[in-house]
Amino acid sequence: MSDQQLLTRVRKLLAKAEDPAVTEAEAEAYNTKAAELIARYGIDRAVLAAAGRHTDTITSVKIPLHNPYSKDKAHLLTCVADPLRCRVVLLCRGQAVQAVTVFGFRSDLDRVELLFTSLLLQATTQLAKVRPGWAGQGQTVAAYRRTWLAGFASAVRLRLKAAESRAVAEHHEPGGRSAELVVLDRKNLVNAAYDAQYGNLRPAGPRQLSGTGYTDGHFAGRRANLGATHLKGGGAALPARTAS
């Protein structure tokens, strides 16, 4: 399947998932299939690169973030990057995250950008509407929304990890190296290159969140499109970024 054929198929699946006439179960099935196609695309590119039939290099991109909730948006980006075998560096000023540098193979970075752009649009659209219900009285809307975003990001990470694992398990190329070994080698190469460039950085400490929105956000993340609705030629542009 060519890149354009894959993108066309993903768009069709997402259009079906967003049709108000379909049931929740049908929408979930369409979204899951779209995520599987994007994951399979990444594994295919990895195997082709390992066989010398596709050029793929380790590099980085810088994705700017803006308040409100810049730390929470950075956490969502991390939850997209990690299952796709990329590493992140947060660029902070005071309490805000101004940008995130994502480090990995070019084909995986492309997928991270596409998925994060789509998921951030979905999350921020819903975030403007959510607020604590009667059980969450006494907390601020901001506290509720931070935990909502944490739940959304957690569900996204779990779904992406599952899609990547399925794509690895289902990839078969007679006479070639197993996709599992290819993926492991690529992950080790990214970690080694990351450590060489950023190994002296101090890891971010855990955050303490007090809101009650986690469960609602997790449910929303389970329903989110993971096929990147805004793939080439489809709607909003990617946020401005620069190569590092």
Side-chain angles (χ1 to χ4, degrees):
M1 182 184 299
S2 69
D3 289 359
Q4 193 55 50
Q5 287 173 323
L6 180 140
L7 298 177
T8 298
R9 189 174 178 189
V10 167
R11 288 195 192 99
K12 288 180 179 179
L13 286 167
L14 293 173
K16 291 178 180 178
E18 294 166 357
D19 187 338
V22 305
T23 66
E24 287 190 9
E26 290 171 332
E28 175 66 17
Y30 290 134
N31 284 331
T32 297
K33 184 61 178 177
E36 289 174 352
L37 286 175
I38 291 295
R40 194 178 305 161
Y41 171 84
I43 301 303
D44 286 346
R45 288 294 174 273
V47 172
L48 288 173
R53 292 152 53 195
H54 172 67
T55 301
D56 207 1
T57 57
I58 296 176
T59 184
S60 62
V61 295
K62 185 182 294 184
I63 301 178
L65 297 176
H66 305 284
N67 275 325
Y69 311 115
S70 63
K71 284 187 177 180
D72 310 283
K73 294 171 183 176
H75 179 60
L76 173 60
L77 178 50
T78 301
C79 287
V80 172
D82 178 65
L84 274 56
R85 298 168 295 282
C86 296
R87 302 286 299 272
V88 301
V89 177
L90 275 57
L91 308 174
C92 303
R93 175 173 290 181
Q95 296 300 309
V97 178
Q98 292 191 314
V100 175
T101 295
V102 189
F103 194 83
F105 277 93
R106 178 71 267 172
S107 61
D108 292 328
L109 292 177
D110 288 343
R111 295 193 299 146
V112 169
E113 288 188 282
L114 290 168
L115 287 167
F116 176 66
T117 300
S118 176
L119 288 164
L120 184 61
L121 285 170
Q122 294 176 61
T124 52
T125 298
Q126 296 180 65
L127 200 65
K129 305 173 185 176
V130 300
R131 57 187 58 248
W134 65 270
Q137 289 180 352
Q139 69 180 300
T140 65
V141 172
Y144 176 85
R145 287 176 174 172
R146 288 191 182 96
T147 49
W148 188 97
L149 275 170
F152 184 92
S154 175
V156 162
R157 185 178 186 276
L158 290 173
R159 290 179 64 195
L160 287 176
K161 283 181 70 70
E164 290 293 308
S165 295
R166 283 193 300 269
V168 169
E170 293 171 359
H171 189 283
H172 300 287
E173 185 167 339
R177 296 178 65 207
S178 73
E180 185 176 5
L181 288 177
V182 168
V183 165
L184 180 60
D185 282 351
R186 283 165 67 93
K187 184 174 182 178
N188 289 337
L189 287 170
V190 168
N191 286 339
Y194 175 93
D195 289 341
Q197 188 167 349
Y198 302 111
N200 294 327
L201 291 179
R202 184 182 62 184
R207 297 179 67 202
Q208 299 295 325
L209 300 176
S210 60
T212 62
Y214 186 92
T215 300
D216 291 340
H218 199 276
F219 178 78
R222 287 167 51 195
R223 294 265 306 149
N225 288 339
L226 295 185
T229 304
H230 303 287
L231 292 167
K232 299 174 185 175
L238 291 169
R241 54 89 171 173
T242 56
S244 296

